[in-house]
Amino acid sequence: QVQLVESGGGLVQAGGSLRLSCAASGRTFSSYVMGWFRQAPGKEREIVAAISWSGSATYYADFVKGRFTISRDDSKNTVYLQMNSLKAEDTAVYYCAADRTVVAGTRSPSAYDYWGQGTQVTVSS
């Protein structure tokens, strides 16, 4: 069992930035693929970004267009999502997820076994 706790969400003006963090428990964090997903009201959960267990491979959804950066610090058992140039359509609950075997580019939420509680990101325009 892996426990994931997101933080860093909040209210920001369009064009602003936020940095989300996900702290993970467990002794095998370095062997997990980590992903960030988001879910807006009335919409399905969708992948935002993912990073391989080694950190050498990353995946980004097309709508990110280089605005977001995913990273991980295994010494801190933490994965980050740096979000720049935020848009109103980025408003959603953001979740981090972990899995030991999923490929970083897998877009389906069902491929990830462990999930955090989510953190709200609201972008005003």
Side-chain angles (χ1 to χ4, degrees):
Q1 186 174 359
V2 176
Q3 182 179 7
L4 306 173
V5 180
E6 303 97 332
S7 62
L11 175 64
V12 65
Q13 296 285 340
S17 298
L18 285 173
R19 186 196 191 200
L20 305 184
S21 299
C22 176
S25 66
R27 297 180 178 179
T28 58
F29 176 80
S30 63
S31 67
Y32 281 78
V33 174
M34 303 295 297
W36 284 98
F37 292 76
R38 70 185 188 186
Q39 188 166 18
K43 302 295 181 64
E44 294 185 344
R45 192 169 299 186
E46 62 182 352
I47 193 168
V48 176
I51 186 166
S52 65
W53 66 267
S54 67
S56 62
T58 57
Y59 166 84
Y60 295 96
D62 289 342
F63 58 77
V64 173
K65 296 183 181 297
R67 298 180 296 125
F68 296 180
T69 302
I70 188 171
S71 61
R72 65 191 298 161
D73 186 343
D74 289 347
S75 69
K76 299 179 180 179
N77 283 4
T78 302
V79 63
Y80 304 94
L81 184 68
Q82 178 67 46
M83 304 186 294
N84 299 325
S85 301
L86 284 162
K87 306 174 181 179
E89 53 261 43
D90 294 320
T91 296
V93 176
Y94 283 72
Y95 300 88
C96 67
D99 195 86
R100 295 194 66 181
T101 59
V102 68
V103 177
T106 300
R107 65 180 179 85
S108 175
S110 64
Y112 286 79
D113 288 336
Y114 303 100
W115 293 85
Q117 84 288 351
T119 185
Q120 176 70 49
V121 172
T122 303
V123 183
S124 62
S125 61

